[in-house]
Amino acid sequence: MNSLKMFLFLISTLLLCFGCKSSTQKDSMKTVMDPHSFSNPSITKVKHLDLDLKINFENKRIEGLASYTLEADHGSELILDNLGLIIQSIQIESGGSLTEAHYHIDTIDPVLGAGIHIELKSKTEKVRIQYMSGQNAYALQWLPKEQTRRKKYPFLFTQSQSIYARSWIPCPDGPGIRFTYHAKVSAPKDLMVVMSATNSMQRTSDGIYEFDMEIPIPAYLLALAVGDFDFKAIGNRTGVYAEPGLLDKAAAEFSDLENMLITAENLYGPYPWKRYDVIVLPASFSFGGMENPRITFLTPSVIAGDQSLTSLLAHELAHSWSGNLVTNASWNDFWLNEGFTTYFESRIMEALYGKPYADMLSSLGFQDLNKTMHEMGTENPLSKLKLNLQGMDPEEALTDIAYEKGKLLLRFLEERTGRAAFDQFLKNYFEYFKYKSNTSEGFLKFAVEHLIKQDTSLLDTVKKWIYEPGLISFTPAYDTLRFKNIDQSLVLFLKTMNPKSLHSDAWTTHEWIYFIRKLPSDKNIQRCLILNSTFKLSTARNSEIKCAWFEYAVKNNFGKQILPDIQNFLIQNGRRKYLMPIYTAMLDNALNKEAWIIFEMAKSGYHPISLNSVQKLLIEKI
């Protein structure tokens, strides 16, 4: 547990004590299957949430009323998750009559927060909770106007995955628990609001917005963004929200979005969520994208000007089936969300742009997997697909193993069973498990019945893939011709040091990344200088190329020469994918002092998730 997070939990303890008023604090035994949620739907299950939220930028709080409609056949208590919320009152409702509820809050767990136990009567129909988010709610980033594009208005956005929805809404915060919701949100009248639900395409005059999500979703897919942004349609069912000045660029970059949606449907069945829109968030967003239903939250770093990074859109769109439609029952089965999605992404890219292009992306992912496996060690239990994350924060334990090892397993099954049979299997899988949660065991059972059948050897291999660490010996049949051509050009360049020998004018982003990864790690500063001066790598518009180059440059003693560019990149980007490898390289290559200085300059612009990860890394490397 790092110092920042421990501090937040200590503050949360005081706030919870204040918020409980006459209720008592008690310890309770967790007996539910999900190791990351106190909620237990086998006792009482919620079916609908009504939210009434007020966005208070001045105090950096969400002031909320959460009203849960219960399943009729419920038990004697409702247990909800919370992380640092200030609980002001709880009432239960029967036949339209409200009474004060008896409740208690558990002692705080440093990872999970604390469960709220609310006593119910046999005829209780609803539970109403008046609350406020804590001052340091982990899911929320409150950006001052100075950190936005136009610098006129502040910005707020949420990141609920994995277990942080509980820091802005008291909720059953497990991926295996679904409910519908309606929300009314009051924001400053000059700002726009979107949620993971039906959304307005125009600003209201009074700052009040209403939302409906009639399909049951888990709490980690609850999402909210409030800021100075507008909407532009791309297709009949697709569009983009972005800050003024960026909107037209985003719409142009994402012009293939409607085609992606149609392609995905042709592969694995009808899109069930009506619309698919995206919102481009400020650069402080910790991730590439977050697959909130009906509105993906997206990093601006994907806007490269040439559509070269839009595979990220294909990935988030694929989550509409794998993750949002069929969800991992707990974070121990995270690969069911991400492995399926990463495989699906590659199929969308292949259908739209051809196999050679898609296979370049897949080959880079395969490289990432082998690098991660080398760093983790082949016996590391976190290299399994089926995880045991008891006592761990899932956000800190999940790596690209779930993404790339999970994808590799599905690619293996495709090559063993044939594409036609495997595609039919996936269609059947999404149809059978839609609006449900699944486990690795559920996947295996379904695979045996509909794909593997009597092939016991194949079943044994798949079980090893899921339950054992490391990798099965399998190299997918990717088209790597364009990468082989780079290998040949690289040999000539290393002999002559003449950058013209690379013939790189038509290289894609993925070829540049492959080239940088293949450069020798021999600390040849002259070579770094030639490449940087010729191709302007440290000032490239493409964030993926810059990240790969900065990591390589630092590892090869060229970091100090381009330190101002590295500093600007780390200050202007909050995406954890970029921050972690560059900070790690700096700390491992005698730039510790510089890393700390940059972090102190940049940290106010990082989302709490990125801030936590980078700070932990810096402390560990002292």
Side-chain angles (χ1 to χ4, degrees):
M1 190 67 182
N2 62 70
S3 58
L4 171 65
K5 212 166 180 184
M6 182 61 73
F7 172 75
L8 298 183
F9 281 120
L10 292 174
I11 295 296
S12 299
T13 304
L14 297 175
L15 294 176
L16 285 167
C17 291
F18 174 80
C20 285
K21 297 183 179 178
S22 61
S23 65
T24 58
Q25 296 269 344
K26 298 180 182 178
D27 290 304
S28 67
M29 297 295 291
K30 263 179 57 61
T31 58
V32 294
M33 292 181 62
D34 188 338
H36 297 107
S37 176
F38 293 98
S39 186
N40 191 339
S42 66
I43 299 174
T44 297
K45 186 176 180 181
V46 303
K47 62 180 182 180
H48 182 76
L49 167 63
D50 284 292
L51 280 172
D52 192 337
L53 304 178
K54 181 180 179 182
I55 309 303
N56 189 328
F57 276 100
E58 183 178 354
N59 295 323
K60 295 183 180 179
R61 293 189 189 278
I62 292 177
E63 301 165 7
L65 173 63
S67 179
Y68 284 99
T69 301
L70 310 178
E71 293 284 0
D73 183 19
H74 61 72
S76 60
E77 72 170 351
L78 172 67
I79 310 172
L80 300 176
D81 294 295
N82 92 93
L83 182 63
L85 297 171
I86 301 171
I87 306 301
Q88 297 166 308
S89 68
I90 301 180
Q91 297 174 307
I92 56 175
E93 179 179 338
S94 302
S97 178
L98 289 170
T99 59
E100 294 297 316
H102 295 285
Y103 69 96
H104 70 267
I105 299 177
D106 294 330
T107 300
I108 291 178
D109 179 277
V111 172
L112 306 180
I116 308 173
H117 298 251
I118 304 162
E119 293 183 20
L120 306 176
K121 298 179 181 179
S122 60
K123 294 184 178 180
T124 300
E125 299 165 346
K126 294 184 178 182
V127 173
R128 292 163 51 95
I129 306 165
Q130 194 80 42
Y131 72 97
M132 293 192 299
S133 62
Q135 195 67 43
N136 297 289
Y138 210 64
L140 306 181
Q141 183 163 25
W142 302 87
L143 289 170
K145 63 182 181 180
E146 291 79 14
Q147 293 181 10
T148 63
R149 189 172 183 86
R150 284 211 300 181
K151 306 186 187 308
K152 289 183 65 176
Y153 302 102
F155 204 111
L156 165 67
F157 64 87
T158 64
Q159 174 57 32
S160 295
Q161 193 184 42
S162 303
I163 56 171
Y164 306 135
R166 66 191 72 181
S167 73
W168 67 285
I169 301 172
C171 59
D173 198 8
I177 307 169
R178 291 173 173 263
F179 49 89
T180 58
Y181 80 88
H182 169 84
K184 177 184 176 182
V185 180
S186 299
K189 64 183 180 65
D190 293 317
L191 303 183
M192 196 170 188
V193 184
V194 294
M195 293 191 75
S196 51
T198 54
N199 281 294
S200 172
M201 298 178 188
Q202 295 180 337
R203 302 192 194 205
T204 64
S205 60
D206 57 4
I208 298 175
Y209 295 80
E210 294 205 35
F211 306 90
D212 283 292
M213 172 51 77
E214 72 283 1
I215 299 174
I217 62 171
Y220 82 89
L221 294 177
L222 290 167
L224 169 74
V226 184
D228 177 23
F229 51 81
D230 294 299
F231 175 82
K232 186 170 185 176
I234 294 174
N236 293 332
R237 294 176 293 170
T238 56
V240 59
Y241 296 83
E243 294 181 73
L246 189 61
L247 185 59
D248 289 340
K249 292 179 182 178
E253 195 81 10
F254 309 151
S255 60
D256 280 345
L257 191 56
E258 189 81 21
N259 290 334
M260 283 187 180
L261 179 55
I262 294 169
T263 300
E265 288 184 308
N266 290 338
L267 283 167
Y268 298 125
Y271 178 74
W273 304 92
K274 295 183 180 178
R275 290 195 59 83
Y276 181 75
D277 298 316
V278 300
I279 177 172
V280 181
L281 296 179
S284 58
F285 184 42
S286 297
F287 302 100
M290 178 62 209
E291 64 272 15
N292 304 307
R294 293 184 179 159
I295 185 160
T296 283
F297 282 20
L298 200 68
T299 173
S301 65
V302 75
I303 303 175
D306 58 3
Q307 298 184 318
S308 62
L309 303 181
T310 53
S311 62
L312 178 59
L313 279 176
H315 183 92
E316 303 308 330
L317 171 61
H319 266 305
S320 300
W321 285 261
S322 48
N324 298 3
L325 187 66
V326 183
T327 310
N328 47 225
S330 77
W331 301 114
N332 288 338
D333 289 299
F334 187 53
W335 80 274
L336 292 177
N337 277 22
E338 294 299 350
F340 275 71
T341 295
T342 308
Y343 174 84
F344 195 167
E345 168 201 338
S346 69
R347 294 296 304 278
I348 294 172
M349 297 303 289
E350 179 181 329
L352 281 176
Y353 308 116
K355 180 175 169 57
Y357 187 86
D359 281 359
M360 281 197 295
L361 291 165
S362 294
S363 296
L364 291 175
F366 190 49
Q367 286 182 352
D368 291 336
L369 175 62
N370 283 295
K371 178 184 177 184
T372 298
M373 199 66 69
H374 175 75
E375 292 171 350
M376 294 178 67
T378 56
E379 298 302 315
N380 191 318
L382 291 180
S383 69
K384 300 177 183 179
L385 289 180
K386 178 72 174 189
L387 297 170
N388 178 8
L389 301 180
Q390 182 78 40
M392 302 176 67
D393 185 336
E395 199 58 46
E396 296 182 1
L398 301 176
T399 68
D400 63 358
I401 293 294
Y403 297 74
E404 295 296 343
K405 184 178 177 181
K407 173 187 175 176
L408 199 61
L409 169 56
L410 299 187
R411 179 67 187 232
F412 169 76
L413 285 170
E414 178 204 320
E415 294 192 13
R416 281 289 299 267
T417 62
R419 174 166 284 191
F422 189 67
D423 280 352
Q424 188 59 53
F425 165 74
L426 284 186
K427 287 181 182 178
N428 295 339
Y429 175 86
F430 290 133
E431 178 63 26
Y432 182 83
F433 289 103
K434 67 180 179 182
Y435 310 128
K436 299 176 184 176
S437 299
N438 199 15
T439 62
S440 297
E441 292 69 34
F443 162 77
L444 274 174
K445 183 175 184 296
F446 191 81
V448 168
E449 294 172 354
H450 297 274
L451 185 69
I452 297 174
K453 298 180 180 178
Q454 305 302 317
D455 191 337
T456 56
S457 175
L458 179 57
L459 176 61
D460 289 342
T461 301
V462 173
K463 285 182 176 179
K464 289 178 181 178
W465 214 303
I466 293 173
Y467 296 111
E468 294 184 7
L471 293 178
I472 299 296
S473 179
F474 167 67
T475 301
Y478 293 142
D479 182 337
T480 58
L481 177 60
R482 291 168 74 168
F483 285 165
K484 289 178 181 177
N485 290 338
I486 292 176
D487 289 335
Q488 295 174 0
S489 297
L490 178 60
V491 170
L492 183 59
F493 168 70
L494 293 177
K495 289 180 178 179
T496 65
M497 294 288 276
N498 181 359
K500 291 183 178 180
S501 65
L502 293 172
H503 304 290
S504 60
D505 291 347
W507 280 4
T508 65
T509 296
H510 321 300
E511 286 165 299
W512 272 110
I513 293 172
Y514 179 84
F515 169 75
I516 293 170
R517 290 181 176 183
K518 295 290 285 187
L519 287 169
S521 295
D522 56 3
K523 303 187 186 304
N524 187 318
I525 296 178
Q526 183 62 25
R527 184 192 305 126
C528 291
L529 182 62
I530 291 172
L531 288 172
N532 196 59
S533 61
T534 303
F535 300 112
K536 314 300 182 189
L537 295 176
S538 65
T539 56
R541 180 173 178 178
N542 191 296
S543 297
E544 295 287 334
I545 293 174
K546 281 205 289 191
C547 180
W549 175 244
F550 288 151
E551 182 181 5
Y552 176 82
V554 170
K555 288 180 177 179
N556 286 274
N557 290 348
F558 193 65
K560 285 191 176 181
Q561 288 87 333
I562 56 172
L563 192 61
D565 294 322
I566 295 174
Q567 175 178 295
N568 289 338
F569 187 75
L570 294 176
I571 291 175
Q572 294 171 7
N573 287 277
R575 189 176 175 185
R576 196 166 57 172
K577 175 186 177 182
Y578 300 153
L579 302 182
M580 297 304 286
I582 297 174
Y583 274 113
T584 299
M586 294 179 72
L587 294 168
D588 289 342
N589 291 275
L591 293 177
N592 303 60
K593 179 182 177 181
E594 290 82 355
W596 272 102
I597 290 173
I598 292 173
F599 174 70
E600 289 297 324
M601 297 170 64
K603 65 181 182 182
S604 64
Y606 290 165
H607 185 280
I609 293 175
S610 293
L611 179 65
N612 177 49
S613 296
V614 176
Q615 181 172 262
K616 180 180 179 182
L617 174 68
L618 290 167
I619 292 173
E620 287 177 348
K621 294 286 187 177
I622 291 178

